[in-house]
Amino acid sequence: MKPKRDGFAIGGAVVAPATRKTLELPVASLYSHAPMTLPVQVICGKVDGPRLFVSAAVHGDEINGVEIIRRLLRLPLLKKLRGTLLAIPIVNVYGFVNRSRYLPDRRDLNRSFPGSVRGSMAARLADLFLREIVDRSDYGIDLHTGAIHRENLPQLRANLDDAETARIATVFRVPVLLNSDLRDGSLREIAAERGIPMLLYEAGEALRFDEHAIRAGVKGIIAVMRELKMLPASSRQSRQPEPLVARSTSWVRAERSGILRATAALGTRVRKGETVGVIADPFGEQESEVLAGNHGIVIGRTNLPLVNEGEALFHLARFESTRVAEDVVEAFQADELPLGPILDEEPPIV
Ligand SMILES: [Zn+2]
């Protein structure tokens, strides 16, 4: 006999066990008089279990995660959910409408936590998200991409010194884990303060869809939910190798302004002193090579060839063994990442 459970209370409503409900949490109105709401879908499992939030577009132009959540919510597997899944595909609703990372008050939502009821838009949205989502959850996964014109290799940023966070980070199975410091005012910092293990997934580029990054995100979330016993264990073993924790990361910057021809692709291994691009003036008379300052794997890069001096061009991650890291990244990139019969019917986004 399965234990009975109470419904899940959120935003003044109660979602009954074994049901799914989409709620519109009111945030401050627009000056046009139009109300703005934060849409949340709650799936309340039949049986009690962990409460997990999955959020995207905290930065309004980072849209891979919106598609990841759409695919996640279509999974028939969720009928077997144990616990509660809170899906928030668009957190920064203002930025999403404006195709912007920020809010209309020019604030970065991910630097605005814990926020306040009486603050400007970013502070109010942060406060609402904290009260209604984070404080009702046991775990969190927040989905991001690189900034505009910047692309990231699928990677997780998490506080790996916390054993529970490290456990769920490892099963997510992206090739690179970054044990990054908590930044002031970030969602991750506030979740950590409240003892909620949280992963930040970074993959792809702002305002673009990346099929591989989307599939890796969906698979990673399912794997975490299986690890937390929110979903039944898979009969198939993961073919992905264990992810590697980067020891440190560094940026290769432009030494001069000009037009960049990048020669180091995302996920490739570079050696210290190796040429990773050439910057030229428009006449091609003055050319200078861009050299890697360290060994490492390219985990992020600019896709825009127009660069100003000092700008970050390539993000390099250093590992215990760069050769092993290269193998792990190659295995990941070569994998088709099947999602199972239902979702594989969907044509891939190219
Ligand atoms: Zn972001």
Side-chain angles (χ1 to χ4, degrees), residues 59 62 101 144-145 202:
H59 292 132
E62 300 181 0
R101 177 184 181 87
H144 287 251
T145 74
E202 278 274 358

Side-chain angles (χ1 to χ4, degrees), residues 4-8 14-20 44-47:
K4 279 223 172 82
R5 66 171 300 197
D6 297 330
F8 185 83
V14 176
V15 184
T19 63
R20 171 190 293 233
C44 188
K46 205 190 292 180
V47 183

